[in-house]
């Protein structure tokens, strides 16, 4: 049982670059060594050809981030199997207020149990997974906001 728990805790991490080659580590935002104080972290895996990701989820995450960023909520998009240049082209023309990271090898996604998109995780300030949504829902924005509020109370 302890071995399984250890694997789960280790898998809730990443060290990835964004499309501008800036390095981001989840450990900087949650856990004992965090440099930035997060109360909740939303991590959403996407692909550019995922209609639900691009039309529903990313716009919803923009609104959620703007509403909750002053309450210690961070958002990371992770391009699952995506090319840095294609992601850079898209987000240069359609900017967001949070990091868009690249997992071109799908290594991080696989460690997190992601085998397709969309996939959204919400972690608390200790890097503990508190919610996971595989696939899309028409009430995505309302559901994610509800879960964030539960964590940051």
């Amino acid at each position: 049982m302890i071995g399984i728990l250890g694997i789960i805790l280790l898998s809730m991490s990443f060290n990835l670059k964004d499309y501008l080659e800036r390095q981001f580590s989840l450990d900087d935002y949650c856990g004992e060594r965090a440099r930035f104080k997060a109360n909740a972290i939303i991590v959403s895996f996407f692909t550019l050809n995922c209609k639900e990701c691009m039309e529903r989820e990313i716009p919803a995450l923009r609104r959620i981030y703007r509403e909750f960023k002053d309450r210690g909520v961070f958002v990371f998009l992770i391009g699952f199997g995506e090319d840095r240049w294609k992601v850079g082209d898209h987000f240069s023309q359609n900017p967001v207020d949070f990091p868009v990271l690249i997992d071109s090898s799908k290594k991080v996604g696989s460690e997190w149990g992601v085998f397709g998109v969309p996939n959204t995780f919400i972690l608390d300030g200790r890097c503990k997974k508190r919610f996971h949504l595989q696939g899309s829902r028409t009430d995505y924005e309302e559901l994610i906001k509800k879960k964030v509020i539960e964590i940051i109370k």
Side-chain angles (χ1 to χ4, degrees), residues 16-24 84 99-102:
L16 292 170
K17 291 181 180 180
D18 69 1
Y19 62 88
L20 297 172
E21 293 284 308
R22 296 175 297 195
Q23 187 75 36
F24 288 85
R84 177 172 77 94
V100 181
L101 310 177
I102 309 298

Side-chain angles (χ1 to χ4, degrees), residues 19-122:
Y19 62 88
L20 297 172
E21 293 284 308
R22 296 175 297 195
Q23 187 75 36
F24 288 85
S25 174
L26 183 60
D27 294 338
D28 287 337
Y29 295 85
C30 57
E32 292 179 14
R33 298 183 188 144
R35 295 185 311 148
F36 309 102
K37 175 63 177 135
N39 292 316
I41 301 163
I42 303 168
V43 178
S44 182
F45 289 83
F46 77 97
T47 60
L48 293 170
N49 65 357
C50 168
K51 184 177 178 178
E52 293 85 7
C53 301
M54 304 309 290
E55 294 180 5
R56 179 180 300 137
E57 296 187 6
I58 293 172
L61 290 171
R62 274 189 185 117
R63 292 185 292 272
I64 291 167
Y65 178 71
R66 287 179 182 153
E67 182 175 344
F68 291 100
K69 67 181 177 182
D70 294 335
R71 295 175 68 185
V73 175
F74 293 88
V75 174
F76 293 96
L77 292 180
I78 299 179
F80 185 61
E82 286 291 340
D83 176 79
R84 177 172 77 94
W85 299 106
K86 290 179 183 175
V87 170
D89 285 347
H90 177 81
F91 285 97
S92 293
Q93 296 173 30
N94 304 283
V96 293
D97 300 331
F98 39 80
V100 181
L101 310 177
I102 309 298
D103 183 17
S104 58
S105 68
K106 300 183 180 180
K107 182 182 183 300
V108 170
S110 295
E111 291 171 356
W112 284 47
V114 173
F115 298 100
V117 293
N119 248 291
T120 302
F121 295 82
I122 305 177

